[in-house]
Amino acid sequence: MNPHDTINDILVNLFNEILKLEEEAIITDEFKDITNNDMHIIEAIGLTGENTMSVVARKMGITAGSLTTAVNGLVNKKYVTRLRSEQDRRVVFLKLTEKGIRAYEHHREYHRQMTDAVISRLDDEEIPVLLKTLNGLSEFFRGYKNNIKK
């Protein structure tokens, strides 16, 4: 295979493997009542308690309506609470419960292990090359996403 085909093959397989393995790794017995997408919403909400519905929807790249549906499920399952702003009752803050914080930490630990597995195989000169490559890939996806919306 030529380098172009090899890189394409690696990227396609890597993306598919990451999605499948991440779901298997983070949806454990303790968190079997949520989906991988729910876990990413929990990650987007974060630990501050200062993220609003609109901020989380923007981070996720979804509509407020889609987020509302997902958050309703997470509230019912006791991962998330909603708090209305005292200054503007239209603004709704999302906050993780203790159960939500455990899920967030579990997900963060998986990502730490994944990142450590990559970095541990590189020497100091290779890390900047990987960063440049991943940034280029990220820029491609952002640009591609923006072009689709036009």
Side-chain angles (χ1 to χ4, degrees):
M1 247 192 297
N2 67 46
H4 186 274
D5 290 341
T6 301
I7 291 170
N8 179 68
D9 188 57
I10 290 169
L11 288 175
V12 168
N13 287 319
L14 185 61
F15 288 132
N16 290 332
E17 287 177 32
I18 287 172
L19 290 174
K20 183 176 181 256
L21 291 174
E22 181 179 47
E23 186 164 359
E24 290 173 7
I26 62 178
I27 306 303
T28 61
D29 283 346
E30 182 177 7
F31 307 116
K32 66 182 174 222
D33 59 340
I34 60 173
T35 66
N36 204 20
N37 188 55
D38 290 335
M39 193 66 90
H40 287 114
I41 291 170
I42 289 168
E43 178 183 38
I45 292 170
L47 298 176
T48 66
E50 298 174 2
N51 282 318
T52 63
M53 289 283 288
S54 57
V55 167
V56 173
R58 207 168 23 257
K59 280 184 185 179
M60 298 289 300
I62 60 175
T63 66
S66 294
L67 180 64
T68 298
T69 301
V71 168
N72 286 343
L74 290 170
V75 167
N76 290 338
K77 294 172 188 170
K78 309 279 192 260
Y79 285 89
V80 175
T81 59
R82 289 185 178 98
L83 303 164
R84 291 217 175 261
S85 168
E86 296 292 324
Q87 290 75 31
D88 184 346
R89 302 291 293 161
R90 297 170 296 177
V91 176
V92 177
F93 292 98
L94 298 174
K95 184 173 182 177
L96 299 180
T97 63
E98 284 186 33
K99 186 177 182 181
I101 292 169
R102 283 194 313 275
Y104 177 92
E105 296 291 345
H106 176 67
H107 188 223
R108 186 168 68 176
E109 176 60 18
Y110 171 77
H111 281 261
R112 186 197 63 73
Q113 289 175 9
M114 181 177 61
T115 304
D116 286 351
V118 172
I119 291 174
S120 68
R121 295 174 185 259
L122 302 174
D123 59 40
D124 290 343
E125 294 80 36
E126 292 171 316
I127 292 174
V129 175
L130 177 61
L131 289 173
K132 181 178 178 181
T133 304
L134 293 175
N135 278 322
L137 193 57
S138 182
E139 287 174 17
F140 166 78
F141 285 125
R142 273 190 239 111
Y144 194 84
K145 179 180 173 185
N146 291 337
N147 287 333
I148 290 174
K149 290 182 179 180
K150 292 180 182 177

Coordinates of all heavy atoms in Angstrom, one line a residue, residues 33-46 51-60 62-84 91-97 99-100:
D33 N -26.7 2.4 32.7 CA -28.0 3.1 32.4 C -27.8 4.3 31.5 O -28.8 5.0 31.2 CB -28.7 3.5 33.6 CG -27.9 4.4 34.5 OD1 -26.7 4.5 34.4 OD2 -28.5 5.1 35.4
I34 N -26.6 4.6 31.0 CA -26.4 5.7 30.1 C -25.7 5.3 28.8 O -25.1 4.2 28.8 CB -25.6 6.9 30.8 CG1 -24.3 6.4 31.3 CG2 -26.5 7.5 31.9 CD1 -23.4 7.6 31.8
T35 N -25.7 6.1 27.8 CA -25.0 5.8 26.6 C -23.7 6.5 26.5 O -23.4 7.4 27.3 CB -25.9 6.3 25.4 OG1 -26.0 7.7 25.4 CG2 -27.3 5.6 25.4
N36 N -22.9 6.2 25.5 CA -21.6 6.9 25.2 C -21.9 8.4 25.0 O -21.2 9.2 25.5 CB -20.9 6.2 24.1 CG -19.5 6.4 24.1 OD1 -18.9 6.7 25.1 ND2 -18.8 6.3 22.9
N37 N -23.0 8.7 24.3 CA -23.3 10.1 24.0 C -23.7 10.8 25.3 O -23.3 11.9 25.5 CB -24.5 10.1 23.1 CG -24.8 11.6 22.6 OD1 -23.9 12.2 22.1 ND2 -26.0 12.0 22.9
D38 N -24.4 10.1 26.2 CA -24.7 10.7 27.5 C -23.4 11.0 28.3 O -23.3 12.1 28.9 CB -25.5 9.7 28.4 CG -26.9 9.5 27.9 OD1 -27.5 10.4 27.3 OD2 -27.5 8.5 28.2
M39 N -22.4 10.1 28.2 CA -21.1 10.3 28.9 C -20.4 11.6 28.3 O -19.8 12.3 29.0 CB -20.3 9.1 28.7 CG -19.1 9.0 29.6 SD -19.4 8.9 31.4 CE -19.5 7.2 31.6
H40 N -20.6 11.8 27.0 CA -20.0 13.0 26.4 C -20.7 14.3 26.8 O -20.1 15.3 26.9 CB -19.8 12.8 24.9 CG -18.8 11.8 24.5 ND1 -19.0 10.6 23.9 CD2 -17.4 11.9 24.7 CE1 -17.9 10.0 23.8 NE2 -16.9 10.7 24.3
I41 N -22.0 14.2 27.0 CA -22.7 15.3 27.6 C -22.3 15.6 29.0 O -22.0 16.8 29.3 CB -24.2 15.1 27.5 CG1 -24.7 15.1 26.0 CG2 -25.0 16.1 28.3 CD1 -26.1 14.6 25.8
I42 N -22.1 14.6 29.8 CA -21.6 14.7 31.1 C -20.2 15.4 31.1 O -19.9 16.3 31.9 CB -21.5 13.4 31.9 CG1 -22.9 12.9 32.2 CG2 -20.6 13.4 33.1 CD1 -23.0 11.5 32.7
E43 N -19.4 15.0 30.2 CA -18.0 15.6 30.0 C -18.2 17.1 29.6 O -17.5 17.9 30.1 CB -17.2 14.9 28.9 CG -15.9 15.5 28.6 CD -15.1 14.8 27.5 OE1 -15.8 14.4 26.5 OE2 -13.9 14.6 27.6
A44 N -19.1 17.4 28.7 CA -19.3 18.8 28.3 C -19.8 19.7 29.4 O -19.5 20.8 29.5 CB -20.2 18.8 27.1
I45 N -20.7 19.1 30.3 CA -21.2 19.8 31.4 C -20.1 20.2 32.4 O -20.0 21.3 32.8 CB -22.3 19.0 32.2 CG1 -23.5 18.9 31.3 CG2 -22.6 19.7 33.5 CD1 -24.6 17.9 31.8
G46 N -19.2 19.2 32.6 CA -18.0 19.5 33.4 C -18.3 19.6 34.9 O -19.4 19.4 35.4
N51 N -21.9 25.8 33.5 CA -22.3 25.7 32.1 C -23.8 25.7 32.0 O -24.5 25.0 32.6 CB -21.7 24.4 31.5 CG -20.2 24.6 31.2 OD1 -19.8 25.6 30.7 ND2 -19.4 23.6 31.5
T52 N -24.2 26.6 31.0 CA -25.6 26.6 30.7 C -26.0 25.6 29.7 O -25.1 25.1 29.0 CB -26.0 28.0 30.3 OG1 -25.3 28.3 29.0 CG2 -25.7 29.1 31.3
M53 N -27.3 25.4 29.5 CA -27.8 24.6 28.4 C -27.2 25.0 27.1 O -26.8 24.2 26.3 CB -29.3 24.6 28.4 CG -30.0 23.9 29.5 SD -30.0 22.1 29.4 CE -31.1 21.8 28.1
S54 N -27.3 26.3 26.8 CA -26.8 26.8 25.5 C -25.3 26.6 25.3 O -24.9 26.2 24.2 CB -27.2 28.3 25.3 OG -26.6 29.1 26.3
V55 N -24.5 26.7 26.4 CA -23.1 26.5 26.3 C -22.8 25.1 26.0 O -22.0 24.7 25.1 CB -22.4 27.0 27.6 CG1 -20.9 26.5 27.6 CG2 -22.4 28.5 27.7
V56 N -23.5 24.2 26.7 CA -23.2 22.7 26.5 C -23.7 22.3 25.1 O -23.0 21.5 24.4 CB -23.9 21.9 27.6 CG1 -23.8 20.4 27.3 CG2 -23.3 22.2 29.0
A57 N -24.8 22.8 24.6 CA -25.3 22.5 23.3 C -24.3 22.9 22.2 O -24.0 22.2 21.3 CB -26.7 23.2 23.0
R58 N -23.7 24.1 22.4 CA -22.7 24.6 21.5 C -21.4 23.8 21.5 O -20.9 23.4 20.5 CB -22.4 26.1 21.9 CG -21.9 26.9 20.7 CD -21.8 28.4 21.0 NE -21.7 28.9 22.3 CZ -22.8 29.4 23.0 NH1 -23.9 29.5 22.5 NH2 -22.6 29.8 24.3
K59 N -21.0 23.4 22.7 CA -19.8 22.5 22.9 C -20.1 21.2 22.1 O -19.1 20.6 21.5 CB -19.5 22.2 24.3 CG -18.8 23.2 25.1 CD -18.6 22.6 26.5 CE -17.9 23.6 27.5 NZ -17.8 23.0 28.8
M60 N -21.3 20.7 22.2 CA -21.6 19.4 21.6 C -21.9 19.5 20.2 O -22.0 18.5 19.5 CB -22.8 18.7 22.4 CG -22.6 18.4 23.8 SD -21.5 17.1 24.1 CE -22.3 15.7 23.3
I62 N -24.8 20.5 19.0 CA -26.2 20.0 18.8 C -27.2 21.1 19.1 O -26.8 22.1 19.7 CB -26.5 18.8 19.7 CG1 -26.3 19.1 21.2 CG2 -25.7 17.6 19.3 CD1 -26.7 17.9 22.1
T63 N -28.4 20.9 18.8 CA -29.4 22.0 19.1 C -29.8 21.9 20.6 O -29.6 20.9 21.3 CB -30.7 21.7 18.3 OG1 -31.3 20.5 18.7 CG2 -30.4 21.7 16.8
A64 N -30.4 23.0 21.1 CA -30.8 23.1 22.5 C -31.9 22.0 22.7 O -32.0 21.4 23.8 CB -31.3 24.5 22.8
G65 N -32.8 21.8 21.7 CA -33.8 20.8 21.8 C -33.3 19.4 22.0 O -33.8 18.6 22.8
S66 N -32.3 19.1 21.2 CA -31.7 17.7 21.3 C -31.0 17.6 22.7 O -31.1 16.5 23.3 CB -30.6 17.5 20.2 OG -31.2 17.5 19.0
L67 N -30.3 18.6 23.1 CA -29.7 18.6 24.5 C -30.8 18.4 25.5 O -30.6 17.6 26.5 CB -28.8 19.8 24.7 CG -28.1 19.8 26.1 CD1 -27.2 18.6 26.2 CD2 -27.4 21.1 26.3
T68 N -31.9 19.1 25.4 CA -32.9 19.0 26.4 C -33.4 17.6 26.6 O -33.6 17.1 27.7 CB -34.1 20.0 26.0 OG1 -33.6 21.3 26.0 CG2 -35.3 19.9 27.0
T69 N -33.6 16.9 25.5 CA -34.1 15.5 25.5 C -33.1 14.7 26.3 O -33.4 13.9 27.1 CB -34.3 15.0 24.1 OG1 -35.3 15.8 23.4 CG2 -34.7 13.6 24.1
A70 N -31.8 14.8 25.9 CA -30.7 14.0 26.6 C -30.6 14.4 28.0 O -30.5 13.5 28.9 CB -29.4 14.2 25.9
V71 N -30.7 15.7 28.4 CA -30.5 16.1 29.8 C -31.7 15.6 30.6 O -31.5 15.2 31.8 CB -30.3 17.6 29.9 CG1 -30.5 18.1 31.3 CG2 -29.0 18.0 29.3
N72 N -32.9 15.6 30.0 CA -34.1 15.1 30.7 C -33.8 13.6 31.2 O -34.0 13.3 32.4 CB -35.3 15.1 29.9 CG -35.9 16.4 29.7 OD1 -35.6 17.4 30.4 ND2 -36.7 16.6 28.6
G73 N -33.2 12.8 30.3 CA -32.8 11.5 30.7 C -31.8 11.4 31.8 O -31.9 10.6 32.8
L74 N -30.8 12.3 31.7 CA -29.7 12.3 32.7 C -30.2 12.8 34.1 O -29.7 12.4 35.1 CB -28.5 13.2 32.2 CG -27.7 12.5 31.1 CD1 -26.8 13.5 30.4 CD2 -27.0 11.3 31.5
V75 N -31.2 13.7 34.0 CA -31.8 14.2 35.3 C -32.6 13.1 35.9 O -32.4 12.8 37.1 CB -32.7 15.5 35.0 CG1 -33.5 15.8 36.2 CG2 -31.8 16.7 34.7
N76 N -33.4 12.4 35.1 CA -34.2 11.3 35.6 C -33.3 10.2 36.2 O -33.7 9.5 37.2 CB -35.1 10.7 34.5 CG -36.2 11.6 34.2 OD1 -36.6 12.5 34.9 ND2 -36.7 11.5 32.9
K77 N -32.1 10.0 35.6 CA -31.2 8.9 36.1 C -30.3 9.4 37.2 O -29.4 8.7 37.6 CB -30.4 8.4 34.9 CG -31.3 7.7 33.9 CD -30.5 7.3 32.7 CE -31.4 6.8 31.6 NZ -30.7 6.7 30.3
K78 N -30.4 10.7 37.6 CA -29.7 11.3 38.8 C -28.2 11.5 38.5 O -27.4 11.5 39.4 CB -29.8 10.4 40.0 CG -31.3 10.0 40.4 CD -32.0 11.1 41.1 CE -33.3 10.7 41.7 NZ -34.4 11.0 41.0
Y79 N -27.9 11.9 37.2 CA -26.5 12.2 36.9 C -26.4 13.8 36.8 O -25.3 14.3 37.0 CB -26.1 11.7 35.5 CG -25.9 10.2 35.5 CD1 -26.9 9.3 35.2 CD2 -24.6 9.7 35.7 CE1 -26.6 7.9 35.2 CE2 -24.3 8.4 35.6 CZ -25.3 7.5 35.4 OH -25.1 6.1 35.4
V80 N -27.5 14.5 36.6 CA -27.4 15.9 36.4 C -28.6 16.6 37.1 O -29.7 16.0 37.2 CB -27.5 16.2 34.8 CG1 -27.6 17.7 34.6 CG2 -26.3 15.6 34.1
T81 N -28.3 17.8 37.5 CA -29.4 18.7 38.0 C -29.4 19.9 37.2 O -28.4 20.4 36.7 CB -29.3 19.0 39.5 OG1 -28.0 19.7 39.7 CG2 -29.3 17.8 40.4
R82 N -30.6 20.6 37.2 CA -30.8 21.9 36.5 C -31.0 22.9 37.6 O -31.7 22.7 38.6 CB -32.0 21.9 35.6 CG -31.9 21.1 34.4 CD -33.2 21.3 33.6 NE -33.3 20.6 32.4 CZ -33.9 19.5 32.2 NH1 -34.5 18.9 33.1 NH2 -33.9 18.9 31.0
L83 N -30.4 24.1 37.4 CA -30.5 25.2 38.3 C -30.8 26.4 37.5 O -30.0 26.8 36.6 CB -29.2 25.4 39.1 CG -28.8 24.2 40.0 CD1 -27.3 24.4 40.4 CD2 -29.7 24.0 41.2
R84 N -31.9 27.1 37.8 CA -32.2 28.4 37.1 C -31.4 29.5 37.7 O -31.2 29.6 38.9 CB -33.7 28.7 37.2 CG -34.6 27.7 36.5 CD -35.8 28.4 35.8 NE -36.5 27.5 35.0 CZ -36.4 27.4 33.7 NH1 -35.6 28.2 33.1 NH2 -37.1 26.5 33.0
V91 N -32.3 31.4 31.9 CA -31.0 30.7 31.9 C -31.0 29.5 32.8 O -31.3 29.7 34.0 CB -29.8 31.7 32.2 CG1 -28.5 31.0 32.3 CG2 -29.8 32.9 31.3
V92 N -30.6 28.4 32.3 CA -30.6 27.1 33.1 C -29.1 26.6 33.1 O -28.5 26.4 32.1 CB -31.5 26.1 32.5 CG1 -31.4 24.8 33.2 CG2 -32.9 26.6 32.4
F93 N -28.6 26.5 34.3 CA -27.3 25.9 34.6 C -27.4 24.4 34.8 O -28.4 23.9 35.4 CB -26.6 26.5 35.8 CG -26.3 28.0 35.6 CD1 -27.1 29.0 36.1 CD2 -25.1 28.3 34.9 CE1 -26.8 30.3 35.9 CE2 -24.8 29.7 34.8 CZ -25.6 30.7 35.3
L94 N -26.4 23.7 34.3 CA -26.4 22.2 34.5 C -25.3 21.9 35.5 O -24.2 22.5 35.4 CB -26.1 21.5 33.2 CG -27.2 21.7 32.1 CD1 -26.8 21.1 30.8 CD2 -28.6 21.2 32.6
K95 N -25.6 21.0 36.4 CA -24.6 20.6 37.4 C -24.6 19.1 37.6 O -25.7 18.5 37.6 CB -24.9 21.3 38.7 CG -23.9 21.0 39.8 CD -24.1 21.9 41.0 CE -23.0 21.5 42.0 NZ -23.1 22.3 43.2
L96 N -23.5 18.5 37.7 CA -23.4 17.1 37.9 C -23.7 16.8 39.3 O -23.2 17.5 40.3 CB -22.0 16.6 37.5 CG -21.5 16.8 36.1 CD1 -20.1 16.2 35.9 CD2 -22.5 16.1 35.1
T97 N -24.4 15.7 39.5 CA -24.6 15.1 40.9 C -23.4 14.3 41.3 O -22.4 14.2 40.5 CB -25.9 14.2 40.9 OG1 -25.6 13.1 40.0 CG2 -27.1 14.9 40.4
K99 N -23.2 11.1 41.5 CA -23.2 10.1 40.5 C -22.6 10.6 39.1 O -21.8 9.9 38.5 CB -24.6 9.5 40.3 CG -24.7 8.3 39.4 CD -26.2 7.8 39.3 CE -26.3 6.6 38.5 NZ -27.8 6.2 38.5
G100 N -23.0 11.8 38.7 CA -22.5 12.4 37.5 C -21.0 12.7 37.6 O -20.3 12.5 36.6

